[in-house]
Amino acid sequence: MANAATRWLIFLAVAIVPLGFIVAPIASFMILSLFRAEKSVIVRDATLDNYVNFFSNWTYAGTYLGTLALCFEVMVVSVILGYPVAWFIWQQRGSRRYLLLLLAVVPLFMSYIVKLYTLRSMLGLNGLVNQLLLGVGVIEKPSQIFLFNQRAVLITMVVIYLPFVILPIFLALERIPKSLLNASIDLGADAWDTFRRVVLPLSLPGTIGGALFAFVLALGDFITPQMVGGTTGFTIGRVIYSQFGLAYDWPFGAAMAAILLATSLAGIILAGLAMSRQRI
């Protein structure tokens, strides 16, 4: 009995942190989303009106769908750019491999705001991108197409979240036994066949994990659209931010946050199903 009681006490001591700092705030948001706000006063009457208003109003629903499309683009572009980088690093030998990996993930240790301001200055009229295009003769004068629009949000998110994609792909590649690669070569497969039949399938869990990181992080990002999106780079994250700020409609904001949470959980479940089928 004493051992059982001790185990329960240890379990409760360990569980209190996620319960107190994760489960409780999410549950409070869920409950708050069932209330409504009248003249900046929260009325605690349980109702689903916030969810009905969200999906029946095309302004909100359209922004939500547009955000999903943007996040999907961020995910796809990040994987297309991140996989070759991870593969190249994996192909290196000795200390060079881990030096390149460190350089690839160094942005993770930098301030998020610093990265945003850096990218905004690079995409601006007098930024590095415009200067390079002017130098090679692609454009005749500085262009505003790289800043304060949806394209700028896409570029910035891809650059910022790329290390989150590279790292899990590299770790998946690192776990591939060299014996399988040698066996593929011994059986007469060339480099492309080995990659297509051995490397790519075995690295797919890491690729899915990296894609999921990019999608979920982009889905909840409201700072990047606000910094580089301008009036046309509006996302659902900015709408939620406004509900807790100027609009002071916390129940409606909580309902939209709950919808984003459900979307993230759906993405995680789909990724888990994809990885489980890959193992089979």
Side-chain angles (χ1 to χ4, degrees):
M1 292 294 293
N3 291 334
T6 302
R7 286 196 295 268
W8 273 106
L9 287 175
I10 294 174
F11 172 77
L12 291 175
V14 173
I16 195 171
V17 174
L19 286 174
F21 292 95
I22 299 177
V23 177
I26 292 176
S28 66
F29 256 65
M30 294 296 186
I31 296 172
L32 182 61
S33 69
L34 300 176
F35 300 151
R36 56 190 174 86
E38 289 185 0
K39 298 179 180 180
S40 301
V41 177
I42 297 176
V43 180
R44 300 181 182 276
D45 294 334
T47 178
L48 295 175
D49 287 349
N50 291 320
Y51 296 94
V52 174
N53 292 337
F54 178 84
F55 288 107
S56 61
N57 189 324
W58 176 246
T59 301
Y60 298 120
T63 304
Y64 170 71
L65 294 176
T67 302
L68 290 182
L70 172 66
C71 295
F72 183 79
E73 291 176 356
V74 171
M75 179 185 70
V76 172
V77 176
S78 297
V79 171
I80 291 175
L81 296 178
Y83 196 101
V85 174
W87 182 86
F88 175 78
I89 296 174
W90 176 60
Q91 288 292 304
Q92 306 306 307
R93 294 291 177 263
S95 59
R96 182 187 300 177
R97 171 188 294 186
Y98 299 103
L99 177 61
L100 291 176
L101 179 64
L102 178 62
L103 293 176
V105 300
V106 157
L108 296 178
F109 302 97
M110 297 172 60
S111 169
Y112 189 83
I113 299 299
V114 170
K115 288 186 287 187
L116 282 177
Y117 274 111
T118 301
L119 287 168
R120 193 166 79 167
S121 64
M122 292 177 63
L123 298 173
L125 288 175
N126 297 317
L128 178 63
V129 175
N130 269 299
Q131 294 303 316
L132 287 176
L133 294 177
L134 285 171
V136 298
V138 175
I139 56 177
E140 297 180 354
K141 60 180 181 179
S143 175
Q144 191 74 25
I145 64 172
F146 300 110
L147 192 60
F148 300 129
N149 51 45
Q150 201 80 342
R151 186 182 297 105
V153 178
L154 172 63
I155 295 172
T156 305
M157 284 187 174
V158 168
V159 173
I160 289 178
Y161 299 137
L162 197 57
F164 291 97
V165 178
I166 294 173
L167 187 57
I169 295 176
F170 172 82
L171 294 177
L173 292 169
E174 186 83 341
R175 287 195 292 267
I176 298 176
K178 292 183 179 180
S179 58
L180 292 179
L181 304 178
N182 295 331
S184 177
I185 296 173
D186 291 341
L187 291 173
D190 57 19
W192 168 246
D193 286 332
T194 299
F195 173 79
R196 182 169 57 91
R197 297 178 180 273
V198 179
V199 175
L200 185 60
L202 292 178
S203 64
L204 196 56
T207 305
I208 294 175
L212 184 63
F213 270 124
F215 181 84
V216 173
L217 290 172
L219 187 63
D221 192 346
F222 68 92
I223 300 177
T224 299
Q226 187 168 337
M227 293 284 291
V228 302
T231 57
T232 60
F234 223 73
T235 62
I236 194 65
R238 293 183 66 180
V239 178
I240 295 175
Y241 173 77
S242 67
Q243 296 302 315
F244 286 95
L246 296 175
Y248 199 75
D249 193 345
W250 287 24
F252 192 44
M256 287 190 284
I259 293 170
L260 279 194
L261 175 62
T263 305
S264 300
L265 291 177
I268 294 172
I269 292 171
L270 290 175
L273 291 174
M275 285 190 284
S276 63
R277 288 185 178 180
Q278 175 63 24
R279 293 191 186 99
I280 294 174

